[in-house]
Amino acid sequence: MASNYSKETVLTTVDTEPYIELDNQGQKKMLTLAKDINYLGRDPDWANMQAPREWNIISRKQAIIEKEGNNFRIYDGDRHHNKPSGNGIFLNQSRINLTEGHILKNGEQLHIGQDPRQQITLTYYNPKRGEMSIPAVRRLNLKGLQHWPVELGRSPNSSSAIELDAPTVSRLHATVNPDGKGRYTLQDRSSNGTFVNGDRLEKPYLLNKGDTIQIGPYVLLFTGEALELTNANNQIRLDAHKLTFRVKDKKGETFTILKDVFLVLEPGQLVAFVGGSGAGKSTLMKALLGIAPISSGNVYLNGDNLRKNWPIYRSQVGYVPQDDIIHRDLTVEEVLRCACQLRLPPDTNIDEVITNTLEQIKLSHVRNTIVSRLSGGQRKRVSIGVELLADPKLFFLDEPTSGLDPGLDKEMMLLLREQADRGRTIALVTHATDNISICDRIAFMGLGGNLCYYGPPEEALPFFQKHKGQFEDENFSDFADIYIELNKGKNKAAIAERVSYWSEKFASSPEYKSYIQNSLSPGKENQQAAKSNKSKTGISPLAQLSLLCQRYWKLVSRDRTSLILTLLAGPITIALTGLPLRNEQPLSVIDAPSVTQASLALRLLFIFSCIAIWIGLSNAIREIVKEAAIYFRERLLNLGLLPYLSSKLIIRGGLALVQTLLITAVVLLVFQGPQSELISWPLGFAMTTFLTLLASTSLSLMLSAFVKTENEGNGILPLIMIPQIIFSGVLFTLEGWSKKLSWLMLSRWSIGAYGSLADVNAMAPETNSTLGGEMLNEIFQATPVYDANWENLLLNWGILLAHTLVYAIVAVAVLRRKDIF
């Protein structure tokens, strides 16, 4: 590292009074702690440690610093009048509490405000304690540097560098170069992106004084001459301001799901949301995560509006929904490896990350086990492990203990407790109350999204017990009693009345003031939304496509029974079709075709077409809907739509090619082929069959994107197949609107191509004295649909291909509409 970059400074000073140093973007002011009670602020009538009046980030009554033994305890705001400061005081993103305060340690740094561009650093010095180690804000002075470029990354090689150690940071993430005019240019060289003032860099950027640079979980401030690492602690706090969500039912009546919810989640806290059905706990969690709609209110992560800055924080937020977000036909290692390759930079040591993650979730012994063979608790741990790969500092879990026995429930809660102790902020939704006592905070939710209590578990029972006067028959002895209390009533109106009582009691309680009001922090003012919220992948689209194809092929190939049935269904069905026709060769044109040959040949080609369409539809009707939870989580993070859908089409297209070869082989064995003058019958038949299979597979994927459940997908197949039969033009003569409607059917163009290749028009018998023209037309009538020429054949093939593309485009559009951001 360069000589002008240091992580810490060691000082030895003479015996002097303790003091604090305020650093306002390079402007410094030292204030001595001369009294037992010291008042810090801009109000000259209140503060005996007066900050400059023009430093508006400091409140008029910012803090009280009281002597406590040989140390000092700092309180945010005016604790004597129970008024917190406007911008707060933070230590590692945790806001100093108005009532509890914080014992200052020699050399410790705190921050006033959360916006790095306006933040003031407060450092406490106590020289009486002797030699001290003072961690400094990491700073790299760009002026006078001899070695360029400056490297920013996980493992930079240059002597002019700032090391940013996090899984989502590339080894060389970004570089800074002088422009020769006294200014500096920042260039992104990463896979996960470099953000300046909330926007991802797409090209080299000329830095301006006051720019904030976000790299993974780290924030750097450009002061004009230096880069300062303002957030080196890699921790996240969450502040929710008045979250409200109202919806209208089918009758047009409005009802509330969330009602004016305020919450504070400090770094390293384990928080549980508890409540019955209709209490809005899952909606609240998703609102905090930013993936559920709200009518009003805001959620702030480290002071940033989450919804406006999701691209910045997407890699720092973990989310495990109630449904598993892992493929059951992969091994545990394969699940984690694929997640690493999708989410982390390509230069990551994947084996090391997987090993560390398995140790954290205590599953090293099942590393090579297929997920479907794991217990429910183990599968949930694997889902958690997938999220831990990127080392998120904010973690949401929806019902992580659902379906687990009491022992596994406790194990899961202890695992989450361990993760919170590592510095992660963890929020979970749960119905179980047996083990929530290990949480730092619990939130009891009531019907209609009312917050009835939020605070430490040990204070929950005393809170409800001291307010039980309205309900004389109640005796709250454990958390389950509180759960029951908030869901008790003969009807919804009675439950709502009881919930409203507790919600109002909590809103006016000391617990509310202590754990919400005094800890709540405002968001950064005048914050603009990021210019682009596009999903950015950690790897290139082509690399992601290759990875998704490999994963999908593993999933398909491991379900051997299903794969074999998929490949053999068509050949077997066609072979059965040949049994009743064993004495006839309807496709072979003879000098004098029989009266019924053309009709019989067309019916046989119709069967070929229907078999191909049905197999194609059955191929992929479940492929998107069955992994909805996995898709949603990966899409929320970095999954590209085109690579995702293309991987399905490529693998299913490859299977369609094998199906085509098998079907063609059986047709050639069972039926004597016609002598096609356009193209050889085997090649033309295979081409038509493949395009029919591909188009119907694309249609199936589109339908899978539309439906909500696998059963719904299977149920819709007959509704799709029956019109293909009716409007094929084989069973009925189509005229008017029915003829135009047939253009939307795959069967119309598949039959057209087959008929053109077999030249069924040439099989029509000539009129004779026995059979008149009208009678022959009743049996078969030649039509331009089956004209044996290249123009007609290429038209049918082209429209089958067009159907494929249109269905794929619609599927992408449907999936895009489901995006939250």
Side-chain angles (χ1 to χ4, degrees):
M1 299 297 167
S3 60
N4 51 349
Y5 166 65
S6 62
K7 292 185 178 179
E8 60 180 29
T9 306
V10 178
L11 301 175
T12 303
T13 63
V14 296
D15 187 8
T16 60
E17 291 295 328
Y19 65 94
I20 61 171
E21 181 184 81
L22 301 177
D23 186 340
N24 184 9
Q25 311 297 323
Q27 301 179 50
K28 298 184 179 181
K29 184 174 181 63
M30 187 184 75
L31 299 170
T32 302
L33 296 168
K35 300 180 180 297
D36 287 347
I37 300 180
N38 303 274
Y39 301 89
L40 172 64
R42 292 186 295 109
D43 186 346
D45 298 327
W46 182 82
N48 57 20
M49 299 175 66
Q50 188 174 348
R53 292 189 177 184
E54 63 273 15
W55 289 14
N56 294 327
I57 195 69
I58 296 180
S59 301
R60 294 179 61 81
K61 298 180 180 181
Q62 180 63 51
I64 295 177
I65 307 175
E66 294 186 5
K67 191 170 185 180
E68 190 171 298
N70 294 324
N71 299 303
F72 283 85
R73 185 182 292 270
I74 185 170
Y75 300 89
D76 179 45
D78 184 1
R79 66 185 292 255
H80 298 148
H81 293 88
N82 202 31
K83 292 183 179 180
S85 68
N87 290 307
I89 301 177
F90 299 87
L91 174 66
N92 298 338
Q93 296 298 345
S94 291
R95 180 163 180 162
I96 301 302
N97 195 281
L98 174 70
T99 55
E100 297 177 0
H102 170 73
I103 288 287
L104 292 169
K105 297 178 180 62
N106 192 27
E108 195 165 51
Q109 284 189 341
L110 297 87
H111 294 91
I112 299 174
Q114 290 185 283
D115 189 341
R117 291 166 289 190
Q118 301 178 11
Q119 197 173 64
I120 292 178
T121 302
L122 184 157
T123 308
Y124 169 68
Y125 297 100
N126 188 353
K128 291 182 179 180
R129 307 297 292 178
E131 187 176 275
M132 56 186 176
S133 179
I134 307 169
V137 173
R138 292 191 244 185
R139 176 185 175 91
L140 180 61
N141 195 336
L142 300 179
K143 285 208 167 183
L145 275 183
Q146 300 298 317
H147 302 286
W148 295 97
V150 170
E151 294 185 354
L152 309 174
R154 191 174 73 248
S155 183
N157 296 316
S158 172
S159 59
S160 303
I162 294 182
E163 184 177 347
L164 307 171
D165 189 12
T168 53
V169 177
S170 299
R171 292 183 183 276
L172 177 59
H173 202 98
T175 56
V176 179
N177 278 293
D179 70 343
K181 300 178 182 178
R183 302 182 69 180
Y184 304 95
T185 300
L186 175 70
Q187 185 167 1
D188 177 39
R189 299 185 180 279
S190 69
S191 56
N192 285 328
T194 301
F195 298 82
V196 177
N197 302 328
D199 293 314
R200 179 166 178 163
L201 291 186
E202 303 290 348
K203 58 184 179 180
Y205 174 81
L206 195 62
L207 289 169
N208 299 300
K209 184 177 180 180
D211 282 342
T212 58
I213 304 166
Q214 182 110 19
I215 295 178
Y218 298 98
V219 179
L220 297 99
L221 176 69
F222 178 64
T223 65
E225 298 182 350
L227 291 173
E228 292 187 355
L229 190 56
T230 64
N231 176 13
N233 295 294
N234 198 16
Q235 293 183 320
I236 289 180
R237 68 173 285 115
L238 181 149
D239 296 274
H241 289 244
K242 204 174 184 179
L243 299 182
T244 300
F245 183 37
R246 298 185 181 90
V247 297
K248 290 185 177 180
D249 59 17
K250 296 179 179 180
K251 298 179 181 179
E253 297 180 358
T254 301
F255 63 97
T256 303
I257 297 178
L258 286 180
K259 184 178 180 182
D260 298 339
V261 176
F262 290 85
L263 277 180
V264 179
L265 278 67
E266 300 274 8
Q269 285 185 343
L270 175 59
V271 181
F273 300 133
V274 185
S277 299
K281 55 189 184 300
S282 290
T283 302
L284 173 59
M285 188 195 71
K286 291 177 181 179
L288 295 177
L289 179 57
I291 61 173
I294 54 176
S295 303
S296 60
N298 288 301
V299 177
Y300 298 99
L301 264 61
N302 291 350
D304 289 323
N305 187 303
L306 174 60
R307 290 175 184 265
K308 292 181 179 180
N309 293 275
W310 176 252
I312 295 176
Y313 288 101
R314 73 167 76 237
S315 64
Q316 299 179 57
V317 179
Y319 172 52
V320 179
Q322 189 169 356
D323 296 328
D324 287 338
I325 54 171
I326 51 178
H327 291 95
R328 295 195 172 198
D329 291 324
L330 299 179
T331 67
V332 173
E333 180 174 356
E334 287 171 341
V335 167
L336 297 179
R337 185 173 297 278
C338 185
C340 279
Q341 292 170 328
L342 277 174
R343 304 182 183 197
L344 302 184
D347 53 22
T348 300
N349 186 333
I350 292 179
D351 289 331
E352 181 180 341
V353 172
I354 292 175
T355 299
N356 291 338
T357 301
L358 287 172
E359 289 176 357
Q360 287 188 57
I361 59 177
K362 299 177 175 60
L363 288 181
S364 299
H365 60 291
V366 296
R367 181 170 186 150
N368 298 311
T369 303
I370 298 289
V371 170
S372 60
R373 298 175 184 170
L374 301 178
S375 67
Q378 288 175 323
R379 286 199 303 272
K380 188 63 71 173
R381 287 189 180 212
V382 177
S383 293
I384 292 174
V386 167
E387 296 301 307
L388 291 180
L389 293 170
D391 193 25
K393 293 304 178 182
L394 182 60
F395 210 165
F396 295 93
L397 303 100
D398 195 353
E399 298 284 1
T401 63
S402 176
L404 304 184
D405 62 46
L408 292 176
D409 180 299
K410 185 173 183 178
E411 285 186 14
M412 182 63 66
M413 293 300 292
L414 289 174
L415 173 65
L416 297 178
R417 175 71 268 172
E418 180 182 315
Q419 294 303 316
D421 292 340
R422 292 172 180 261
R424 306 186 202 279
T425 309
I426 299 180
L428 68 140
V429 168
T430 183
H431 284 90
T433 58
D434 291 342
N435 298 295
I436 60 174
S437 59
I438 69 173
C439 296
D440 298 292
R441 299 284 187 270
I442 53 175
F444 278 101
M445 303 293 296
L447 184 68
N450 287 273
L451 183 63
C452 298
Y453 173 80
Y454 183 72
E458 61 269 17
E459 296 183 24
L461 284 172
F463 167 77
F464 282 92
Q465 286 167 345
K466 70 185 178 184
H467 291 297
K468 67 179 182 179
Q470 180 167 334
F471 307 106
E472 296 294 340
D473 59 328
E474 300 301 332
N475 180 25
F476 304 109
S477 59
D478 57 31
F479 297 128
D481 290 329
I482 300 174
Y483 183 94
I484 294 171
E485 164 66 14
L486 296 178
N487 292 278
K488 184 175 290 186
K490 295 181 179 180
N491 50 46
K492 281 192 175 182
I495 297 175
E497 181 182 0
R498 193 173 290 243
V499 166
S500 179
Y501 168 80
W502 288 113
S503 179
E504 291 172 5
K505 286 293 182 182
F506 176 67
S508 59
S509 69
E511 289 84 358
Y512 178 86
K513 291 180 181 179
S514 179
Y515 302 117
I516 294 183
Q517 182 176 315
N518 294 344
S519 299
L520 197 67
S521 297
K524 297 170 187 176
E525 296 181 0
N526 302 320
Q527 191 177 53
Q528 299 295 319
K531 293 178 182 177
S532 175
N533 269 349
K534 293 181 180 179
S535 178
K536 298 289 185 176
T537 61
I539 55 178
S540 70
L542 284 177
Q544 191 174 97
L545 174 61
S546 174
L547 176 62
L548 292 173
C549 284
Q550 293 175 45
R551 182 176 73 177
Y552 189 39
W553 171 243
K554 285 181 181 178
L555 294 170
V556 171
S557 61
R558 284 190 181 161
D559 189 357
R560 294 184 179 179
T561 301
S562 178
L563 178 61
I564 292 172
L565 290 176
T566 296
L567 295 177
L568 296 184
I572 291 174
T573 308
I574 288 177
L576 292 175
T577 304
L579 291 178
L581 298 175
R582 61 184 181 276
N583 296 322
E584 299 186 53
Q585 293 297 333
L587 298 179
S588 179
V589 179
I590 57 179
D591 294 336
S594 66
V595 173
T596 60
Q597 182 175 355
S599 176
L600 183 60
L602 190 59
R603 291 201 301 272
L604 180 61
L605 297 175
F606 173 65
I607 290 174
F608 294 162
S609 178
C610 287
I611 289 173
I613 293 173
W614 179 256
I615 290 174
L617 288 174
S618 303
N619 271 347
I621 190 63
R622 301 182 301 117
E623 293 310 300
I624 293 178
V625 67
K626 75 178 181 182
E627 54 184 29
I630 301 172
Y631 165 80
F632 178 79
R633 179 60 191 119
E634 292 183 345
R635 177 64 179 158
L636 191 64
L637 185 68
N638 63 0
L639 183 67
L641 279 178
L642 289 180
Y644 175 74
L645 193 64
S646 297
S647 69
K648 303 289 187 188
L649 274 174
I650 289 172
I651 298 302
R652 285 295 166 184
L655 292 176
L657 182 59
V658 176
Q659 289 170 322
T660 297
L661 295 175
L662 293 174
I663 289 173
T664 303
V666 171
V667 167
L668 293 179
L669 286 172
V670 176
F671 301 100
Q672 183 177 340
Q675 297 297 320
S676 175
E677 296 181 1
L678 298 177
I679 189 174
S680 71
W681 167 248
L683 182 59
F685 177 85
M687 188 70 175
T688 303
T689 301
F690 176 73
L691 289 176
T692 304
L693 283 166
L694 189 64
S696 53
T697 298
S698 182
L699 172 58
S700 183
L701 286 172
M702 183 191 77
L703 295 173
S704 189
F706 268 107
V707 298
K708 297 179 180 179
T709 65
E710 293 183 54
N711 287 337
E712 187 178 325
N714 291 328
I716 204 174
L717 281 183
L719 298 178
I720 301 299
M721 191 65 204
I722 290 172
Q724 301 288 340
I725 297 172
I726 295 174
F727 295 100
S728 63
V730 175
L731 301 182
F732 310 102
T733 300
L734 303 178
E735 297 178 352
W737 67 267
S738 60
K739 183 178 182 180
K740 294 179 180 179
L741 185 60
S742 71
W743 297 344
L744 301 177
M745 302 298 155
L746 295 176
S747 58
R748 156 66 178 82
W749 307 103
S750 179
I751 288 292
Y754 281 132
S756 178
L757 286 166
D759 195 7
V760 293
N761 283 342
M763 300 178 187
E766 297 181 358
T767 304
N768 55 47
S769 57
T770 306
L771 297 173
E774 185 176 344
M775 185 175 294
L776 289 174
N777 288 339
E778 289 292 329
I779 300 173
F780 176 81
Q781 183 178 7
T783 171
V785 171
Y786 310 123
D787 280 349
N789 57 60
W790 274 109
E791 182 180 359
N792 186 42
L793 180 61
L794 292 178
L795 174 66
N796 286 290
W797 284 354
I799 294 184
L800 284 173
L801 188 59
H803 273 267
T804 303
L805 295 176
V806 168
Y807 296 143
I809 291 171
V810 173
V812 169
V814 171
L815 291 173
R816 190 178 297 280
R817 287 185 61 187
K818 297 180 181 180
D819 285 350
I820 302 299
F821 299 97

